[in-house]
């Protein structure tokens, strides 16, 4: 069993295309579409795999889209386990308006899961032997899944000594925090939703993140600030990194790449600050690519040399 395992409860195939201008009621002729595997945990696993780490991607999927998703992952050489469900796996799509270079993202809700299906997933994770060193829970929960699903996974995983990394939002994140995941990666908007605070300054963000850590709800927080870069908060320190100057074609998968870079480095026994630098590099390496292509190992290493933290 690899030391890094990711779980994606609501995976997707990501379809990306572009048009000259978005207009209503008219037919818009699109450029040829590219298709990539999608879903938070899957993207994290793809980054770990590209960096040379051993990783297993577990996800729940069903229908013809699930079969195609498996073929895309096989083409990348990524080990995976697809737990079958009755519903149809979703397809998300993004459209870039060429005249403005704005990216519009359309995210489908995904299938409705039965309690038996998500309970079977809990049991499968619980039976992994040896237990992974890092378990990454990333992405939205589809309809039918209990809001405390991630909380239940965390409790079971910690019994086996797993460090759980959580990238979730809304009720799923709120329910999971009292169960103390090792690392969480909210965006600024997700932290605002979680706390109900405006968080208008960096000092506000830092104070709020420190409160979460000091309350024992997470060992560390990697808070993404969009074009402002990101912030790492632990019990020992606050580390700040600005965004790396790069061309931006698509932001899809950048946050997942940050998690992937961090987990890959942490599993190599890097210090948290060093892992944060790799996460920032992986996020920056994803931005110049269309759709959910993500960055290569060479691109991540190149960006790593450009990351400055303070």
């Amino acid at each position: 069993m690899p030391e890094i395992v990711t779980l994606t409860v609501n995976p997707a195939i990501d379809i990306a295309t572009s048009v000259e201008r978005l207009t209503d009621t008219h037919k818009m002729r699109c450029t040829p579409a590219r298709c990539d595997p999608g879903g938070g945990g899957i993207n994290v696993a793809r980054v770990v795999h590209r960096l040379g780490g051993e990783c297993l991607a577990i996800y729940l999927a069903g229908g013809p889209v699930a079969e195609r998703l498996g073929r895309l992952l096989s083409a990348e050489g990524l080990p995976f386990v697809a737990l079958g469900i009755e519903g149809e796996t979703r397809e998300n799509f993004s459209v870039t308006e060429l005249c403005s270079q704005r990216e519009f993202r359309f995210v489908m809700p995904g299938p409705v899961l039965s309690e038996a299906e998500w309970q079977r997933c809990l049991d499968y994770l619980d039976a992994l032997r040896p237990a992974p060193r890092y378990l990454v829970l990333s992405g939205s929960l589809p309809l039918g899944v209990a809001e405390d699903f991630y909380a239940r996974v965390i409790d079971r995983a910690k019994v086996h000594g797993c460090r759980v990394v959580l990238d979730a939002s809304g009720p799923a994140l709120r329910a999971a925090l009292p169960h103390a995941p090792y690392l969480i990666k909210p965006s600024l908007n997700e932290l605002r939703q979680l706390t109900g605070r405006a968080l208008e300054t960096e000092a506000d963000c830092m104070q709020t993140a420190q409160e979460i850590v000091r309350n024992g709800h997470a060992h560390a927080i990697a808070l993404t600030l969009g074009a402002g870069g990101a912030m790492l908060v632990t019990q020992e320190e606050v580390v700040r990194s600005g965004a790396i100057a790069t061309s931006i074609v698509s932001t899809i998968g950048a946050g997942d790449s940050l998690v992937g870079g961090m987990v890959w480095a942490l599993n190599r026994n890097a210090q948290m600050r060093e892992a944060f630098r790799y996460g920032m590099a992986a996020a920056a390496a994803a931005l110049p690519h269309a759709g959910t292509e993500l960055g290569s190992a060479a691109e991540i290493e190149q960006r790593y040399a450009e990351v400055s933290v303070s």
Side-chain angles (χ1 to χ4, degrees):
M1 178 62 59
E3 292 188 331
I4 301 173
V5 171
T6 70
L7 174 65
T8 311
V9 190
N10 202 11
I13 288 180
D14 288 345
I15 303 170
T17 187
S18 61
V19 298
E20 180 57 32
R21 186 183 301 275
L22 283 170
T23 57
D24 61 354
T25 72
H26 295 283
K27 292 181 179 179
M28 291 171 284
R29 304 296 178 180
C30 300
T31 58
R34 68 167 292 121
C35 297
D36 297 291
I42 286 176
N43 289 334
V44 171
R46 292 169 68 205
V47 171
V48 173
H49 179 69
R50 292 179 185 202
L51 285 167
E54 293 186 2
C55 184
L56 175 67
I58 300 173
Y59 60 90
L60 285 72
V65 176
E67 297 175 8
R68 190 179 183 193
L69 177 58
R71 291 195 296 270
L72 289 171
L73 292 174
S74 295
E76 293 195 13
L78 177 65
F80 66 88
V81 171
L83 303 178
I85 60 172
E86 185 175 344
E88 177 80 13
T89 296
R90 61 184 177 158
E91 292 177 303
N92 297 330
F93 63 100
S94 63
V95 180
T96 298
E97 185 182 54
L98 296 175
C99 67
S100 66
Q101 290 303 305
R102 292 183 300 170
E103 183 181 50
F104 296 83
R105 299 170 63 175
F106 301 86
V107 180
M108 300 295 109
V112 178
L113 267 62
S114 68
E115 182 174 354
E117 288 171 334
W118 58 261
Q119 285 283 1
R120 188 163 62 246
C121 176
L122 285 175
D123 294 339
Y124 184 88
L125 293 172
D126 205 28
L128 291 176
R129 295 292 184 276
R133 189 179 181 200
Y134 286 91
L135 175 61
V136 181
L137 313 176
S138 182
S140 62
L141 296 177
L143 297 172
V145 178
E147 290 182 354
D148 67 346
F149 176 83
Y150 284 144
R152 301 186 195 200
V153 176
I154 292 168
D155 285 345
R156 295 188 182 203
K158 288 170 71 174
V159 169
H160 303 295
C162 298
R163 288 180 169 179
V164 181
V165 178
L166 176 65
D167 185 3
S169 61
L173 174 59
R174 184 174 292 105
L177 276 187
H179 300 258
Y182 181 72
L183 170 67
I184 62 173
K185 188 215 68 67
S187 67
L188 177 56
N189 283 335
E190 289 166 349
L191 190 61
R192 285 170 173 158
Q193 293 169 6
L194 176 69
T195 62
R197 301 178 183 178
L199 303 180
E200 295 177 347
T201 68
E202 286 195 17
D204 294 338
C205 295
M206 180 178 69
Q207 179 181 353
T208 298
Q210 286 177 317
E211 288 177 9
I212 293 172
V213 171
R214 289 169 181 165
N215 288 336
H217 290 166
H219 175 77
I221 299 176
L223 174 63
T224 56
L225 303 170
M231 177 187 299
L232 173 71
V233 178
T234 69
Q235 288 279 8
E236 294 77 27
E237 62 181 350
V238 176
V239 179
R240 183 73 170 85
S241 176
I244 302 172
T246 186
S247 61
I248 300 176
V249 175
S250 173
T251 60
I252 301 173
D256 301 329
S257 295
L258 188 149
V259 175
M262 286 194 71
V263 172
W264 172 80
L266 288 170
N267 194 52
R268 291 163 57 90
N269 298 319
Q271 296 298 313
M272 189 66 75
R273 175 189 288 237
E274 184 77 356
F276 181 60
R277 289 186 63 196
Y278 267 107
M280 291 297 296
L287 295 175
H289 294 283
T292 320
E293 185 177 350
L294 308 182
S296 67
E299 290 170 319
I300 294 171
E301 290 293 345
Q302 177 184 348
R303 293 300 185 184
Y304 173 80
E306 302 170 11
V307 178
S308 175
V309 299
S310 61

